[in-house]
Amino acid sequence: LWEESKHLLSKDTRYKHERLKDVRSMHDFDGIVTAPMMGFPSASSYYRWSSSGLYLDRIRRPTIFVHALNDPIINSSAIKLDDFERSHYIVSCMTREGGHSMDWSLGKGLKPWSAKVAGEFFSASIAHAGIAKPHTN
C-alpha cells in the first residue's frame, strides 16, 4: 500500500511515514494515516466517531443502507442490524456482491447499480406516502 500511495502521502507530516511499511490491514492503515489525517488519535476513535450508527435511531425519513457482503473495507459482521429491526424508517439492504464503492455496472453500462436501487427505494417511498410523481415530457 505504501508503494502505491507514497507519492501522495510522503509530503504529509501528520503521521510517521516509516510505520507505513508495517501496514498489513485497512485498520493498520487507518491507524497510521487516516485517523491522524482526520484529527483522531486512533483508528478505533476514527471509526467510532465517523460511524452513522450513532445517528440511526434519529432518522425520521425513509432511508436505505446498501452494503455488500464482499466489501473488502467494512466487514459485514461489523454492521449491527438491531437498529434496522426496530425502526420504521431505515432499511438495510445486504447484497452478496458489490465491493466497497457499490459502483459495479449493470451489464456493460457505466451506471452504478446502487443508484438504481436507491432510485427504486425512493420511488417506492413516494408511492407509499401517496405523493404524486412529477409529470415528464
Side-chain angles (χ1 to χ4, degrees):
L1 191 57
W2 171 241
E3 288 303 318
E4 297 169 15
S5 308
K6 75 175 156 186
H7 68 284
L8 296 172
L9 301 173
S10 61
K11 296 174 185 153
D12 198 315
T13 59
R14 290 175 283 190
Y15 57 88
K16 297 178 176 151
H17 299 105
E18 66 276 3
R19 291 187 56 210
L20 285 170
K21 65 181 175 9
D22 300 324
V23 169
R24 300 285 180 262
S25 68
M26 205 59 208
H27 187 270
D28 292 346
F29 183 82
D30 285 342
I32 294 168
V33 178
T34 310
M37 196 179 285
M38 300 299 173
F40 292 94
S42 66
S44 294
S45 179
Y46 166 68
Y47 296 154
R48 195 169 28 261
W49 288 101
S50 300
S51 172
S52 62
L54 298 171
Y55 307 99
L56 294 179
D57 62 342
R58 298 180 197 169
I59 294 175
R60 296 292 180 262
R61 298 282 185 265
T63 304
I64 188 169
F65 290 80
V66 181
H67 183 81
L69 294 173
N70 72 339
D71 186 324
I73 296 175
I74 301 172
N75 189 300
S76 59
S77 66
I79 298 173
K80 307 302 178 212
L81 298 176
D82 56 342
D83 284 313
F84 295 97
E85 293 164 357
R86 285 194 301 262
S87 176
H88 298 287
Y89 301 102
I90 60 176
V91 174
S92 173
C93 174
M94 296 281 231
T95 64
R96 282 190 305 274
E97 303 287 328
H100 183 67
S101 62
M102 295 292 189
D103 59 0
W104 293 8
S105 306
L106 291 171
K108 296 183 183 201
L110 297 176
K111 254 184 159 174
W113 64 266
S114 58
K116 183 175 191 279
V117 170
E120 290 171 359
F121 180 80
F122 183 69
S123 293
S125 296
I126 287 173
H128 179 73
I131 300 170
K133 290 183 182 179
H135 296 287
T136 57
N137 296 336

